[in-house]
Amino acid sequence: MADAIRIEGVTKRFGPKVAVNHLDLAVPEGRMYGFIGPNGAGKTTTIRMIMSILFPDDGTLSVLGRKSAVESKDRIGYLPEERGVYRKMKVGAFLRYMGRLKGADPSSLSDRVDQWLERVGLADVAKKKCEELSKGMQQKVQFISAVLHEPDLIILDEPFSGLDPVNMRLLRDLIDEQHNQGRTIIFSTHVMHQAETLCDHIVMIHNGHKVLDSTLTEIRQRYDPRSIVLEPMDAAFDVRTIEAIGEVRRAEALNGKIEAHLVEGADPASAMRAIVGATPVASIEVRRPTLEDVFIDIVSGGGGDESQLRAALRSDPASV
């Protein structure tokens, strides 16, 4: 299988700051890759180099078999982190213009614009100016502009930022559809559970370094369950009873349940038997680590300020 994107030894500096540091990456055609990491990790800078908006200080990259995205621009759809439409243009005219720029077939372009607007619930806005739309509506219009010409490679930088849950689900379904049609998709986000529900391969970036590059299946196999969630029968149950169990590192009460964090290398099955033996439970289950848990484990080495790292992952997007 050919690579849609190949990056070798790429570094990008902004003065004394190294935003991307000797990055190596290969994205095969037809895959859904998630670029994840906190704001400022280097995700957007990497995407801008892929798109030839920025150029690396060191290293080489290729896009769709060419030396730069410029040579493959009509085969790429790009939704940047910074939202932007031509505010004074009418929506339908804006989308037809963007389609023509990308080489879409002019004979069917108007029909495709109308079909897409209907699909995203904007059938009645074609003759409205872009500036009359809400932020969420403008974002859906920009997504249409990124896929209207049926590109081979789609790059989405924080595509769900600012969307309500209903439109997030709609956009997620549309992204899945594009992937199922064989397109390569790069999906960048600092909200890791979004990547977990969409992507089949994860690239974690932290402080400009790639810290993980694996399929979601491999990640789940590599990182064992680290905690057990139980609901005790007795509402006044003392968590110290759980903490006294040898396999348990610490326990905490949360929303009527208790999460028991296991010691390194503990057998979850053995810990569950010990917990059930210590107290009657209404329910008990293994909690598998999320991508956020995996990221924090990698960058903190099992130590450090986990709360600060989690806060960084849940803050608003920022361009870096």
Side-chain angles (χ1 to χ4, degrees), residues 108-126:
S108 60
L109 188 54
S110 291
D111 287 342
R112 283 165 58 192
V113 167
D114 291 341
Q115 289 166 6
W116 267 108
L117 287 173
E118 185 172 358
R119 291 197 65 190
V120 300
L122 298 178
D124 59 343
V125 308

Side-chain angles (χ1 to χ4, degrees), residues 29-314:
E29 291 179 350
R31 300 292 295 278
M32 175 97 79
Y33 264 54
F35 283 12
I36 63 177
N39 298 322
K43 305 184 302 298
T44 294
T45 297
T46 299
I47 285 175
R48 288 174 179 168
M49 287 190 288
I50 292 170
M51 291 299 303
S52 296
I53 297 169
L54 297 173
F55 296 94
D57 297 315
D58 299 298
T60 61
L61 56 83
S62 64
V63 181
L64 297 175
R66 303 293 184 89
K67 291 183 178 179
S68 78
V70 175
E71 299 178 41
S72 305
K73 60 184 179 62
D74 290 347
R75 298 171 58 199
I76 302 172
Y78 177 41
L79 179 66
E81 183 182 20
E82 309 82 6
R83 308 299 180 236
V85 294
Y86 293 164
R87 297 178 59 81
K88 298 298 181 182
M89 288 187 74
K90 293 181 178 179
V91 172
F94 167 74
L95 288 172
R96 289 190 294 272
Y97 174 67
M98 296 302 290
R100 288 194 299 271
L101 285 180
K102 289 293 188 177
D105 181 2
S107 65
S108 60
L109 188 54
S110 291
D111 287 342
R112 283 165 58 192
V113 167
D114 291 341
Q115 289 166 6
W116 267 108
L117 287 173
E118 185 172 358
R119 291 197 65 190
V120 300
L122 298 178
D124 59 343
V125 308
K127 295 184 178 180
K128 289 186 177 182
K129 291 182 178 179
C130 290
E131 66 182 358
E132 298 177 49
L133 304 185
S134 69
K135 181 180 178 182
M137 289 178 175
Q138 290 184 20
Q139 195 160 334
K140 289 193 285 186
V141 168
Q142 272 200 276
F143 176 79
I144 295 173
S145 73
V147 301
L148 186 62
H149 57 297
E150 299 181 347
D152 297 315
L153 170 64
I154 301 172
I155 299 177
L156 307 170
D157 196 355
E158 298 284 359
F160 299 122
S161 176
L163 290 180
D164 61 67
V166 172
N167 282 313
M168 284 177 63
R169 179 180 292 273
L170 170 64
L171 189 57
R172 186 172 66 238
D173 290 344
L174 293 174
I175 293 169
D176 263 332
E177 179 185 272
Q178 294 294 311
H179 181 227
N180 291 336
Q181 291 174 0
R183 297 184 173 95
T184 307
I185 297 179
I186 301 294
F187 170 74
S188 175
T189 182
H190 73 297
V191 184
M192 296 195 180
H193 72 82
Q194 294 174 351
E196 202 160 6
T197 60
L198 267 172
C199 301
D200 52 39
H201 197 107
I202 298 297
V203 176
M204 289 185 178
I205 301 176
H206 180 59
N207 289 338
H209 294 271
K210 182 179 73 174
V211 296
L212 184 65
D213 183 355
S214 294
T215 67
L216 199 54
T217 300
E218 289 169 345
I219 293 169
R220 286 170 174 161
Q221 290 173 345
R222 187 182 314 169
Y223 290 88
D224 295 331
R226 300 292 176 84
S227 64
I228 293 170
V229 177
L230 62 136
E231 183 180 359
M233 297 287 285
D234 181 1
F237 179 74
D238 189 342
V239 298
R240 288 176 293 185
T241 302
I242 301 299
E243 290 180 331
I245 295 172
E247 292 95 337
V248 175
R249 175 167 53 91
R250 64 183 175 88
E252 57 185 338
L254 183 66
N255 298 325
K257 295 186 177 182
I258 294 173
E259 183 167 3
H261 299 271
L262 305 182
V263 299
E264 188 72 29
D267 177 14
S270 174
M272 290 175 74
R273 288 193 295 269
I275 290 170
V276 171
T279 182
V281 298
S283 65
I284 186 168
E285 64 180 355
V286 173
R287 178 184 176 273
R288 296 193 174 277
T290 64
L291 285 179
E292 184 175 298
D293 296 330
V294 171
F295 176 83
I296 288 171
D297 184 71
I298 290 172
V299 302
S300 69
D305 189 344
E306 291 189 9
S307 60
Q308 186 176 1
L309 285 168
R310 290 190 190 277
L313 294 173
R314 296 169 186 176

